[in-house]
Short mmCIF file of all heavy atoms in Angstrom, two decimals:
data_model
loop_
_atom_site.label_atom_id
_atom_site.label_comp_id
_atom_site.label_asym_id
_atom_site.label_seq_id
_atom_site.Cartn_x
_atom_site.Cartn_y
_atom_site.Cartn_z
N GLY A 125 17.89 9.15 -13.62
CA GLY A 125 19.26 8.99 -14.12
C GLY A 125 20.06 7.95 -13.36
O GLY A 125 21.29 7.90 -13.54
N VAL A 126 19.44 7.24 -12.48
CA VAL A 126 20.18 6.18 -11.69
C VAL A 126 20.20 4.87 -12.48
O VAL A 126 19.15 4.34 -12.83
CB VAL A 126 19.47 6.00 -10.33
CG1 VAL A 126 20.25 4.92 -9.52
CG2 VAL A 126 19.44 7.30 -9.56
N ILE A 127 21.37 4.34 -12.70
CA ILE A 127 21.54 3.06 -13.43
C ILE A 127 21.54 1.94 -12.43
O ILE A 127 22.33 1.95 -11.48
CB ILE A 127 22.85 3.08 -14.26
CG1 ILE A 127 22.80 4.21 -15.29
CG2 ILE A 127 23.09 1.74 -14.92
CD1 ILE A 127 24.02 4.40 -16.11
N GLY A 128 20.71 0.97 -12.69
CA GLY A 128 20.60 -0.19 -11.80
C GLY A 128 21.43 -1.32 -12.24
O GLY A 128 21.96 -1.36 -13.35
N PRO A 129 21.58 -2.38 -11.40
CA PRO A 129 22.36 -3.55 -11.77
C PRO A 129 21.70 -4.27 -12.91
O PRO A 129 20.48 -4.25 -13.11
CB PRO A 129 22.38 -4.42 -10.53
CG PRO A 129 21.32 -3.81 -9.59
CD PRO A 129 21.02 -2.45 -10.05
N GLU A 130 22.51 -4.91 -13.71
CA GLU A 130 22.03 -5.59 -14.92
C GLU A 130 21.55 -6.99 -14.66
O GLU A 130 21.88 -7.56 -13.61
CB GLU A 130 23.10 -5.56 -16.03
CG GLU A 130 24.29 -6.41 -15.68
CD GLU A 130 25.33 -6.36 -16.79
OE1 GLU A 130 25.75 -5.30 -17.21
OE2 GLU A 130 25.71 -7.50 -17.29
N ASP A 131 20.84 -7.52 -15.59
CA ASP A 131 20.42 -8.93 -15.60
C ASP A 131 20.97 -9.56 -16.89
O ASP A 131 21.25 -8.82 -17.87
CB ASP A 131 18.89 -9.02 -15.55
CG ASP A 131 18.37 -10.42 -15.08
OD1 ASP A 131 19.19 -11.29 -14.83
OD2 ASP A 131 17.17 -10.61 -15.05
N HIS A 132 21.15 -10.87 -16.92
CA HIS A 132 21.66 -11.49 -18.06
C HIS A 132 21.03 -12.85 -18.30
O HIS A 132 20.41 -13.43 -17.36
CB HIS A 132 23.17 -11.61 -17.99
CG HIS A 132 23.63 -12.47 -16.83
ND1 HIS A 132 23.72 -13.82 -16.89
CD2 HIS A 132 23.96 -12.13 -15.57
CE1 HIS A 132 24.17 -14.28 -15.76
NE2 HIS A 132 24.28 -13.29 -14.92
N TYR A 133 21.18 -13.37 -19.51
CA TYR A 133 20.62 -14.66 -19.87
C TYR A 133 21.56 -15.28 -20.94
O TYR A 133 21.80 -14.64 -21.93
CB TYR A 133 19.22 -14.55 -20.42
CG TYR A 133 18.58 -15.86 -20.72
CD1 TYR A 133 18.10 -16.63 -19.68
CD2 TYR A 133 18.43 -16.28 -22.02
CE1 TYR A 133 17.48 -17.86 -20.00
CE2 TYR A 133 17.82 -17.48 -22.33
CZ TYR A 133 17.34 -18.25 -21.31
OH TYR A 133 16.74 -19.46 -21.60
N SER A 134 22.01 -16.48 -20.71
CA SER A 134 22.93 -17.17 -21.64
C SER A 134 22.13 -18.25 -22.35
O SER A 134 21.31 -18.95 -21.79
CB SER A 134 24.10 -17.80 -20.94
OG SER A 134 24.90 -16.79 -20.32
N PHE A 135 22.42 -18.41 -23.68
CA PHE A 135 21.75 -19.43 -24.50
C PHE A 135 22.66 -19.76 -25.67
O PHE A 135 23.67 -19.15 -25.87
CB PHE A 135 20.36 -19.00 -24.94
CG PHE A 135 20.38 -17.80 -25.89
CD1 PHE A 135 20.25 -18.00 -27.24
CD2 PHE A 135 20.54 -16.51 -25.34
CE1 PHE A 135 20.28 -16.87 -28.08
CE2 PHE A 135 20.55 -15.40 -26.19
CZ PHE A 135 20.41 -15.64 -27.58
N ARG A 136 22.22 -20.78 -26.39
CA ARG A 136 23.05 -21.26 -27.51
C ARG A 136 22.09 -21.50 -28.72
O ARG A 136 21.01 -22.04 -28.54
CB ARG A 136 23.77 -22.52 -27.14
CG ARG A 136 24.60 -23.17 -28.17
CD ARG A 136 25.37 -24.38 -27.58
NE ARG A 136 26.44 -24.73 -28.45
CZ ARG A 136 27.58 -24.04 -28.62
NH1 ARG A 136 27.81 -22.93 -27.92
NH2 ARG A 136 28.49 -24.42 -29.47
N ILE A 137 22.54 -21.10 -29.89
CA ILE A 137 21.83 -21.42 -31.12
C ILE A 137 22.66 -22.55 -31.80
O ILE A 137 23.80 -22.39 -32.07
CB ILE A 137 21.72 -20.22 -32.10
CG1 ILE A 137 21.04 -19.03 -31.43
CG2 ILE A 137 21.07 -20.62 -33.39
CD1 ILE A 137 19.55 -19.14 -31.33
N LEU A 138 22.00 -23.66 -32.06
CA LEU A 138 22.70 -24.78 -32.72
C LEU A 138 22.89 -24.45 -34.17
O LEU A 138 22.10 -23.72 -34.76
CB LEU A 138 21.85 -26.05 -32.61
CG LEU A 138 21.64 -26.54 -31.17
CD1 LEU A 138 20.64 -27.74 -31.19
CD2 LEU A 138 22.92 -26.92 -30.51
N PRO A 139 24.00 -24.87 -34.76
CA PRO A 139 24.27 -24.58 -36.18
C PRO A 139 23.24 -25.34 -37.08
O PRO A 139 22.65 -26.34 -36.66
CB PRO A 139 25.69 -25.13 -36.41
CG PRO A 139 25.83 -26.13 -35.38
CD PRO A 139 25.06 -25.74 -34.18
N PRO A 140 23.04 -24.87 -38.26
CA PRO A 140 22.16 -25.60 -39.24
C PRO A 140 22.80 -26.94 -39.54
O PRO A 140 23.99 -27.15 -39.39
CB PRO A 140 22.13 -24.68 -40.45
CG PRO A 140 23.31 -23.83 -40.34
CD PRO A 140 23.62 -23.68 -38.92
N TRP A 141 22.01 -27.88 -40.04
CA TRP A 141 22.50 -29.27 -40.29
C TRP A 141 23.73 -29.29 -41.19
O TRP A 141 24.62 -30.08 -40.99
CB TRP A 141 21.38 -30.11 -40.83
CG TRP A 141 20.99 -29.75 -42.27
CD1 TRP A 141 20.02 -28.93 -42.63
CD2 TRP A 141 21.61 -30.29 -43.45
NE1 TRP A 141 20.02 -28.81 -44.03
CE2 TRP A 141 20.98 -29.67 -44.54
CE3 TRP A 141 22.64 -31.18 -43.67
CZ2 TRP A 141 21.31 -29.93 -45.85
CZ3 TRP A 141 22.99 -31.42 -45.05
CH2 TRP A 141 22.36 -30.81 -46.05
N TYR A 142 23.78 -28.35 -42.14
CA TYR A 142 24.92 -28.39 -43.05
C TYR A 142 26.19 -27.83 -42.47
O TYR A 142 27.22 -27.90 -43.13
CB TYR A 142 24.54 -27.70 -44.38
CG TYR A 142 24.02 -26.28 -44.24
CD1 TYR A 142 24.88 -25.18 -44.05
CD2 TYR A 142 22.68 -26.06 -44.18
CE1 TYR A 142 24.43 -23.91 -43.92
CE2 TYR A 142 22.20 -24.77 -44.03
CZ TYR A 142 23.06 -23.73 -43.92
OH TYR A 142 22.57 -22.43 -43.75
#
Side-chain angles (χ1 to χ4, degrees):
V126 179
I127 298 174
E130 68 180 53
D131 198 0
H132 62 87
Y133 183 76
S134 297
F135 64 101
R136 178 174 197 74
I137 302 284
L138 298 174
W141 70 268
Y142 53 84

